[in-house]
Amino acid sequence: RYLCFFHAPFGSFTCLDWSFSGKYLVAGTQEDYLLVYDVQRLKPVFKLEGHTSWPLDVHFDLNLKTNFHLDPFKNYNKRRIHSTGLDGKLCIWDIDVGMLESRQGSTN
């Protein structure tokens, strides 16, 4: 069953991964950055820049919450994304889920 499609901004996508919840899709592009898509809205909500060549592999961290300070009274609402590229870089991003949910199609 065909569900939907996403267009790469230029060229094609080089890699992708789904968030554990299925709400987000992260995709590498031939323009050397990653886009995080909100699957329900079918729009990119984050543009992740850091590679200087095509990202080849990308993953949402399986540990859904990144507990930096291990403080039980804080709300840990972050997701971590790892990517590697032709540039030899391993890039790691921490994204606040609240920011993902509040962005209405902005990619800045």
Side-chain angles (χ1 to χ4, degrees), residues 19-57:
S19 68
F20 185 74
S21 67
K23 289 182 177 182
Y24 304 104
L25 175 72
V26 61
T29 71
Q30 288 183 330
E31 290 187 279
D32 307 339
Y33 57 79
L34 303 172
L35 289 173
V36 179
Y37 286 90
D38 180 316
V39 175
Q40 288 182 326
R41 294 185 201 138
L42 303 176
K43 295 189 182 247
V45 289
F46 265 103
K47 180 179 179 179
L48 304 174
E49 297 177 291
H51 286 287
T52 56
S53 188
W54 296 0
L56 294 178
D57 195 28

Side-chain angles (χ1 to χ4, degrees), residues 29-104:
T29 71
Q30 288 183 330
E31 290 187 279
D32 307 339
Y33 57 79
L34 303 172
L35 289 173
V36 179
Y37 286 90
D38 180 316
V39 175
Q40 288 182 326
R41 294 185 201 138
L42 303 176
K43 295 189 182 247
V45 289
F46 265 103
K47 180 179 179 179
L48 304 174
E49 297 177 291
H51 286 287
T52 56
S53 188
W54 296 0
L56 294 178
D57 195 28
V58 64
H59 294 283
F60 277 93
D61 195 322
L62 293 178
N63 296 316
L64 294 178
K65 295 182 179 177
T66 55
N67 299 338
F68 294 113
H69 305 291
L70 300 177
D71 182 341
F73 299 103
K74 288 190 176 182
N75 178 16
Y76 296 102
N77 206 19
K78 295 190 183 286
R79 299 297 178 264
R80 182 167 282 172
I81 295 173
H82 307 201
S83 65
T84 57
L86 280 174
D87 54 11
K89 290 182 183 177
L90 165 66
C91 295
I92 301 170
W93 289 274
D94 286 320
I95 298 176
D96 187 302
V97 173
M99 287 179 67
L100 279 173
E101 292 173 354
S102 68
R103 297 176 78 120
Q104 299 290 326

